Amino acid sequence: MQQIDAGHAGAVLEIDLTAVRANWRLLADRLGTTACGAVVKADAYGLGAATVVPALVAEGARNFFTAHLDEALALVPLLPGDASLFVLNGLPAGAEADCAAAGILPVLNSLGQVEAYAGLARRLGRALPAVLQVDSGMSRLGLDRGELERIAENRDHLAGLDLRLVMSHLACAERQDHPMNAAQLARFSAACRQLPAAPASLANSSGIFLGPDFHFNLARPGAALYGLAPVAGAANPMRPTVRLLARIIQTRETRAGDAVGYGARWTAPGPRRVATVAVGYADGYLRSLSGQATAFSGDVPVPLVGTVSMDSTTFDVTDAPEAVAGGFLELIGPRQAPDTVATAAGTIGYEILTALGRRYDRRYLTAPQPERCLP
Ligand SMILES: *Cc1c(COP(=O)(O)O)cnc(C)c1O
């Protein structure tokens, strides 16, 4: 990654590792005897896996999930010997030996993947730890009904594998009243009975809040660790973890009728003061936020006006006299959660976090944060 000079950067991204740890702790306490894992795929949802993973290890996490093998390989040196590292997407053909050599556990998602990994185990002459995923209703990854039947009827398919986990994934867990939840729970439980006894895992962040029936032996939270709300329509119990402060690089006074931004999609209704900040859609501040989002100057909300550009965005700061060139506007933060920004953009908080840019001056906070002033 390109080095970012703190003094030159167009924005500061604060990542509160204390809050990430507190969120993991809250989930772990809620899970009781069920182990609490941590999903750190996509660079820990954009926060930075190289920093987030050691913080979670220090808090007690020992089961980490990535999507890709290369994401997992990069984390191996950061983990203690008693930790487990899982690759959710399974393995591309030919990658089995690299996975086994690194001691990483693949999530086997098809009979073909099972056969390839069991074949490697026989060639190596040792049992290989692995995970089986069954499709319980999402139709995305995992053994389908026919493959499950074949393995249930002939367990020789699993010979050579040390089955460490049977898992599945919920499609609608953030909606607690959705009938898919009970249907997937029933189908997953039935699948577990067909397979050799092994620890089981079903719940993502939202699944943890569906109650103990969904907990099984290991939970796989991602989003909630990073502060996203796990239950749709309910108060968010998680602590915010990111704060994006964009530098104001210029301000101007407009007259009535002056156009602002590409496409001249907004025109000033009267004399206004407009601030341009050095963050745009190339930094993950989505273009679909054009005309929809709000930032904060201290406690004063300032509406986004005009179109989000690649490297800059304009806000109406008429009501915020403190917003001057060289100062900062808070684009994401405690007053403006990623979930709120996501709603303005017509997406979900996951996409806001995983899109977070690479041009920011990233500051990792490791002490409890009191309410602070802008930098
Ligand atoms: C991404 C993912 C998770 C984590 O889900 P969150 O909703 O972020 O908690 C868990 N399990 C699987 C299979 C995933 O793909």
Side-chain angles (χ1 to χ4, degrees):
M1 189 189 291
Q2 172 193 353
Q3 269 314 108
I4 302 297
D5 182 294
H8 302 172
V12 175
L13 181 67
E14 289 183 351
I15 297 167
D16 186 347
L17 295 173
T18 310
V20 174
R21 287 178 64 159
N23 287 337
W24 187 84
R25 178 55 55 199
L26 184 146
L27 299 174
D29 287 349
R30 200 179 174 101
L31 285 164
T33 55
T34 295
C36 187
V39 179
V40 294
K41 61 193 181 188
D43 205 20
Y45 291 45
L47 276 68
T51 317
V52 164
V53 166
L56 289 170
V57 167
E59 193 62 34
R62 287 296 179 273
N63 294 282
F64 292 88
F65 295 84
T66 66
H68 294 270
L69 177 59
D70 282 356
E71 291 180 314
L73 288 168
L75 298 181
V76 169
L78 304 178
L79 293 179
D82 61 344
S84 298
L85 189 50
F86 303 88
V87 176
L88 291 167
N89 272 5
L91 299 174
E96 294 84 5
D98 290 341
C99 182
I104 293 166
L105 288 86
V107 174
L108 304 174
N109 287 316
S110 68
L111 193 52
Q113 289 179 12
V114 168
E115 281 167 352
Y117 214 57
L120 175 67
R122 284 193 294 275
R123 285 196 298 283
L124 294 176
R126 65 178 172 104
L128 290 178
V131 179
L132 272 187
Q133 174 153 228
V134 295
D135 176 15
S136 60
M138 192 174 177
S139 309
R140 185 180 70 167
L141 289 172
L143 304 174
D144 64 24
R145 289 187 183 86
E147 291 175 317
L148 177 64
E149 285 301 327
R150 286 177 64 184
I151 291 176
E153 282 163 14
N154 181 3
R155 292 188 177 180
D156 288 349
H157 284 293
L158 301 175
L161 299 182
D162 172 9
L163 189 57
R164 293 286 180 88
L165 193 67
V166 175
M167 63 167 273
S168 191
H169 192 50
L170 296 164
C172 307
E174 74 286 356
R175 290 171 56 197
Q176 298 203 312
D177 56 356
H178 202 292
M180 276 293 280
N181 297 325
Q184 287 195 265
L185 176 62
R187 199 167 144 191
F188 179 61
S189 301
C192 289
R193 287 191 294 272
Q194 287 180 272
L195 291 168
S201 175
L202 180 61
N204 64 338
S205 299
S206 301
I208 294 170
F209 292 82
L210 292 175
D213 287 352
F214 288 80
H215 291 175
F216 294 90
N217 305 101
L218 172 64
R220 308 184 311 270
L225 298 176
Y226 312 114
L228 300 182
V231 182
N236 185 0
M238 314 315 298
R239 276 175 53 177
T241 63
V242 297
R243 190 161 174 246
L244 176 60
L245 301 161
R247 193 188 293 275
I248 301 171
I249 50 177
Q250 194 169 18
T251 64
R252 76 188 61 247
E253 312 280 341
T254 62
R255 294 186 196 164
D258 281 351
V260 174
Y262 281 119
R265 292 206 330 211
W266 189 78
T267 47
R272 312 300 292 173
R273 213 163 63 83
V274 171
T276 303
V277 302
V279 166
Y281 60 77
D283 303 296
Y285 198 64
L286 305 182
R287 191 167 176 278
S288 51
L289 289 166
S290 299
Q292 303 296 322
T294 303
F296 281 83
S297 170
D299 286 324
V300 182
V302 294
L304 194 167
V305 291
T307 312
V308 178
S309 299
M310 185 186 294
D311 317 293
S312 61
T313 305
T314 38
F315 292 87
D316 181 346
V317 295
T318 311
D319 297 334
E322 287 175 15
V324 295
F328 289 84
L329 296 182
E330 184 178 282
L331 270 47
I332 300 174
R335 296 174 196 79
Q336 183 76 340
D339 287 317
T340 309
V341 177
T343 302
T347 181
I348 56 175
Y350 294 66
E351 190 175 11
I352 299 297
L353 291 184
T354 55
L356 284 171
R358 295 165 301 279
R359 298 192 292 189
Y360 301 141
D361 167 20
R362 288 180 173 234
R363 297 187 192 165
Y364 288 92
L365 311 177
T366 53
Q369 297 303 312
E371 186 58 25
R372 286 148 307 126
C373 302
L374 297 171

